[in-house]
Amino acid sequence: MVGRYVLSLLCVVSAANAVWPEFRFASYYGDHMVLQKAPERAVLWGYASDRSKVFVILAGQQEIKKQAAYVQNGTWRVTLDPVNAGGPYNVTAVQQGPAHAQVTLTDVLFGDVWLCGGQSNMVFLLSKVFNASEELALAPKFSHVRIFMAALELSKKELIDLPKVEMPWSLPSTELLGNFSAVCWLFGRYLYETLGYPVGLVESCWGGTPVEAWSSPRALHKCSLEEQEDNSYLSVSPNEMEPSPKRDNSVLWNAMIHPLLNMTIQGAIWYQGEDNTQYHLDKYGCSFPAMIDDWRASFHQGSGGQTAADFPFGFVQLSTHFKGAVKDGFPELRWHQTAGYGFSPNPRMQNTFMAVALDLPDEGSPWGSIHPRDKQDVAHRLTLGARAVAYREKGVSFQGPFPVKVLLSQDSINIFYTQAISVSLSITIFEICCTKVQEPCSSDSKWLPAPIMQWGRSSVQVSAAMCEEVVSGLRYAWRDWPCDFKACPVYSADQELPAPPFTTNRWP
Ligand SMILES: *[C@@H]1O[C@H](CO)[C@@H](O)[C@H](O)[C@H]1NC(C)=O
Ligand SMILES: *[C@@H]1O[C@H](CO)[C@@H](O)[C@H](O)[C@H]1NC(C)=O
Ligand SMILES: *[C@@H]1O[C@H](CO)[C@@H](O)[C@H](O)[C@H]1NC(C)=O
Ligand SMILES: *[C@@H]1O[C@H](CO)[C@@H](O)[C@H](O)[C@H]1NC(C)=O
Ligand SMILES: *[C@@H]1O[C@H](CO)[C@@H](O)[C@H](O)[C@H]1NC(C)=O
């Protein structure tokens, strides 16, 4: 008797489920979250029964607002009226009709939402950085910086929601932050210190992954990369050598980025490229900017125009891997990260900003020298870029010295920089290209070390005397590991920002 009673009850429950899908928010909305503040409007969505009416109530300390949601094909969606930075608010979604239901998100703040993407150096945990215990202990002081992490998932087709959440929206505790991205957190924390209003951080990244995995088929098509090649044995990092479907075209775009498109965001930061030093290296100057373009267009469309069509995109130029490495793709990859300009933003990559990191090597990193532990300087440099580019703060310098003019002659070369510089003679990493005839230089040309002879406020003169043939080009810091920690020859005058690497041809 008892058994039969249970059985019939189960039938009733499952029948009810079939008719009325569970009323809820999509996976990445939750208590303690940060929604994008005004002037943008936050988009909220979830699941509902098609035959119901849904509205959303935003309840703050002073005001209560109610807005109707749009219901279609099992989902509801609402674009909130603009809300200024602050909070907390409770956001309640109500399903009216025969299947009345409601769900409330509590302690919701409005601020700027930043997405953090990339591979292992973005994944790199706060518990592994230098001074980790001090950084972790600071966490509770920053209760207006909120964190969220997507789970590692891949998919052959585009998903509309995250299959799984690794860390739901949370206040930063020492324990949770130990498992959160150091660069993402430190960027958010430094940004909060200058903005003074809430910052939401969405971490969606995976170690050992090439840019192709994070790119949509549209973006790959732009660079003729739609053919899937066998990339399963990339070996940039010894512990990432297992064959992995996570490297396949678009699989992470499909499962870890596409689901987020309907959320309004302020911008994105990105730390990736190590994998591509061994895979489609020569295409990265196309594939990386193409991915940025495509993310921008897609987030803009997914949010119904709320996320800017040219949202700010910050990235870290590759740091270092092997001290003695001669040819391992790092210099080329760094150059491709800037679409061949050497700096960012540039005409091809507008509204981007770059943190140079090649002067932050860490030979003794217990997680491999490809994972330097100083993420504070990386995040600090990114934050400077965000302030200048994303927030248009005047007077913030965020780019290291870059040549505006290079005058090559047969016995010396004069380099004129964009800004005042500080120079040290500790190491010779200018190199001249010495060719038999007047011809363009390549990586295979003869490159000779060119010592600095003298320097001025914003110029450097290097010797070309060692070239007995034709002086055809100049490059700087063109190697995986150009200098010891913060000991490259050229910095900004205040010694804060390293000169990025460059290469230049006399006979292009
Ligand atoms: C949100 O809901 C919680 C719990 O129901 C309540 O304690 C709090 O006062 C509410 N906050 C606002 C701003 O309405
Ligand atoms: C409706 O939703 C289903 C499953 O969520 C999806 O497969 C289908 O493509 C959707 N249809 C439309 C018109 O959006
Ligand atoms: C990280 O996560 C693990 C389990 O997932 C947990 O045991 C640990 O306490 C967390 N925090 C730190 C700081 O590692
Ligand atoms: C998310 O945005 C895409 C692109 O605009 C749209 O096709 C999709 O229906 C949206 N999903 C929801 C649940 O609103
Ligand atoms: C670690 O802390 C020491 C002492 O405060 C400081 O000098 C050093 O710069 C810090 N290192 C990093 C990477 O922040």
Side-chain angles (χ1 to χ4, degrees), residues 47 72-75 157 160:
Y47 304 92
Q72 190 195 34
N73 194 25
T75 63
K157 60 181 198 352
I160 71 154

Side-chain angles (χ1 to χ4, degrees), residues 22-40:
E22 190 194 350
F23 181 67
R24 61 186 171 97
F25 283 87
S27 66
Y28 48 87
Y29 296 96
D31 296 344
H32 316 299
M33 79 177 301
V34 176
L35 287 168
Q36 181 57 44
K37 70 164 184 67
E40 290 82 21

